Amino acid sequence: MSRDVLLVAMIVLGGCTSVGAKSAVGSQDAASDAISICELAARGPIEGSTARVEAIYKTDKSHYAYLSSEGCGKNGVLDIGDLEPISEETVKNFYAAGDQRCTKKGMPYVCVTETKIDADIKIIRGQDGKLAAELLKIHGFSFIEPGS
């Protein structure tokens, strides 16, 4: 089987535009195994533990990046704290797709982006000492366009 491939497609549904990209992987796990950030918070995230989550990834590419889920307030937010160099292809492809999207919009440096994401994460200790998420593998994602 060939290496991971990034497919990008634009879908227009009733005025709601999202750009989807999925990486072809050898074993497709069922998305039903994914939990929300709220569920993860309720379990009490433990440093070093891993989970598959479905969440909204929000970033401005400069000052903040976090995963969120609606419906549980502050407990529905988990900062992104990728401290290690990223080597996993689906994560590299996810970040590259975001960079490409922002460059096309003429905003290569500061670019507010919201993305629906299905990913494997690891709970790590961020640089600020708080628990954060490291993206391990991206199973799928789609960009959320403002106003949709």
Side-chain angles (χ1 to χ4, degrees):
M1 179 171 250
S2 65
R3 297 189 68 151
D4 291 338
V5 178
L6 179 66
L7 303 173
V8 179
M10 183 171 277
I11 303 168
V12 178
L13 298 171
C16 173
T17 304
S18 66
V19 177
K22 294 206 180 212
S23 181
V25 292
S27 62
Q28 295 280 336
D29 298 329
S32 62
D33 294 341
I35 61 173
S36 71
I37 299 301
C38 298
E39 291 171 295
L40 183 65
R43 290 182 182 179
I46 299 169
E47 187 174 357
S49 65
T50 60
R52 182 168 178 175
V53 298
E54 285 184 335
I56 304 297
Y57 174 88
K58 297 181 181 184
T59 187
D60 72 351
K61 288 186 55 183
S62 180
H63 301 97
Y64 66 87
Y66 60 90
L67 296 172
S68 69
S69 292
E70 293 183 11
C72 57
K74 292 189 302 185
N75 292 331
V77 176
L78 185 60
D79 288 338
I80 298 293
D82 293 325
L83 302 176
E84 300 296 321
I86 299 163
S87 60
E88 208 283 326
E89 284 300 312
T90 62
V91 177
K92 284 183 186 179
N93 291 343
F94 170 68
Y95 286 129
D99 290 345
Q100 182 180 30
R101 179 178 176 274
C102 289
T103 298
K104 283 182 181 179
K105 293 174 101 179
M107 299 182 285
Y109 305 109
V110 177
C111 179
V112 175
T113 303
E114 290 189 20
T115 311
K116 291 181 184 178
I117 190 170
D118 175 2
D120 293 339
I121 63 168
K122 179 179 181 179
I123 303 299
I124 62 170
R125 185 82 41 196
Q127 292 177 336
D128 61 0
K130 296 178 183 176
L131 292 180
E134 175 184 359
L135 298 176
L136 299 176
K137 182 177 184 176
I138 307 298
H139 296 280
F141 63 95
S142 61
F143 295 108
I144 302 169
E145 294 299 328
S148 61

